Amino acid sequence: MAWLRKRGQWSVGLVAAASAALTLSACGQDRSDDGASGDRAAKYQRVIEDPHPRPADVIEAAGAPAGVVRADDGSLLLTYDAGNVEDDEGPAATAWRIVDPDGRTVAEHAEHGDAEAVPAAFKGVPGGFVRVPQEGTGGAYALDVRGKRHKVTVSETPLRTRPGDILIAEREPALVYRPATRTMAPPARLPDEAVRLAVDERGTAWSLDQPLTGGPDRVVRQRDGRTLGSTAVPKPYAGGVLAARGGAAGLSLTQDDGVHGLLVTTDGGGHWRTILGGGIPWRELKRGPESLILEVLADGRLLVGEEGGRYWLADDRTDRAFHELRTPAKFTSLSVDGTTLYGIADATTATYDLVQGEGLWTSHDGGREWRRYERRG
């Protein structure tokens, strides 16, 4: 499952949406701010200063989710952040809400916090959701689809990745989660030179290794602790963002602090090709390699884009040619779950007011039509 970014931080990857939504043609208008800007500012301040905020109040103040993830039964967990507007310090509030596949709320929770703290993030897993650890391996736990909390065992004994394992943290430290035992641990035999990691549903761990000897970067594939093969990144490029799913994998190619193309495989790493064009204007990507979004849909198509910028989707599973997506609003983040696209429109910093089209948007047809998520009750 993919990672969903917002405000420069990673958050968990994403989701299916409820069908009770509005189409793009009907939903281009701004949301109401429930009164004058000054009234909204006063409500916002009360929420972030409240030592025991109500989830509904935090959600209203935030305006849009910071992230959304899906469990295997179609339930969603949406996270919300409301931070101090005047300064990057001071009070803050966070909340999460679980909705069932019909879009009805089944559980929610809110907390008072600090604007400097990293908001909680979750990942969808079979049976529910897992909180991403903070500060190493601390703070990990699981929620079932009814919102009941369960203990997660964090082990120092490495796990040999196998089908069903889910990547929870890419690095510092790298962690995988095994749903059958609710166990989280580092992946076995991860190379010391690994700087990027992806784990697909087949249990294959794909890592980008940067040798200290000065040789070329390499993409290494492992499963169950065994090395399946490796591929050198073509000169003069270095490797950037790595993504893998269903036998397809992509690696962004960087040079001189810019992204110049992709290294792609569609047959599990048997054959690779370099894409330096494909319909993506690489020279127009201005936000730097770390702002690149690279995801793989369940059918093998690659999604490429920039945080808060433009996005391109492969025309088919060969990943040779791409077309630019039309979006109903300016997305601050975009990700995928299965073959569905999910974008969040929000302000890039904490604000009292709502931006145009603020909220969660979904597309089930490759970005031709977008629907705006609406909770049913």
Side-chain angles (χ1 to χ4, degrees), residues 243-294:
R245 181 185 176 95
L251 175 74
S252 62
L253 299 176
T254 67
Q255 183 186 29
D256 299 329
D257 296 325
V259 180
H260 294 263
L262 298 171
L263 182 65
V264 175
T265 180
T266 57
D267 61 359
H271 301 85
W272 294 80
R273 63 177 177 274
T274 301
I275 299 175
L276 301 179
I280 302 175
W282 300 104
R283 293 182 181 275
E284 297 180 17
L285 302 184
K286 304 298 184 183
R287 299 176 185 268
E290 293 300 320
S291 294
L292 189 80
I293 295 172
L294 180 61

Side-chain angles (χ1 to χ4, degrees), residues 108-130:
E108 56 188 12
H109 174 76
E111 294 181 1
H112 177 72
D114 187 288
E116 295 181 287
V118 178
F122 293 83
K123 200 149 197 189
V125 298
F129 315 92
V130 170

Side-chain angles (χ1 to χ4, degrees), residues 42-89:
K43 292 179 181 179
Y44 189 102
Q45 282 294 330
R46 285 197 298 270
V47 169
I48 67 174
E49 293 172 0
D50 188 342
H52 305 288
R54 295 174 60 248
D57 292 338
V58 177
I59 291 168
E60 180 184 1
V68 53
V69 291
R70 186 183 69 177
D72 57 343
D73 75 336
S75 297
L76 307 181
L77 185 149
L78 301 93
T79 54
Y80 296 85
D81 307 327
N84 193 23
V85 173
E86 284 78 15
D87 198 348
D88 58 1
E89 299 178 348

Side-chain angles (χ1 to χ4, degrees), residues 12 15 39 87 110 121 162 200 212 219 227 237 257 264 293 344:
V12 202
V15 348
D39 292 340
D87 198 348
R162 65 189 190 192
D200 64 24
L212 299 177
V219 179
T227 299
Y237 304 107
D257 296 325
V264 175
I293 295 172
I344 291 176

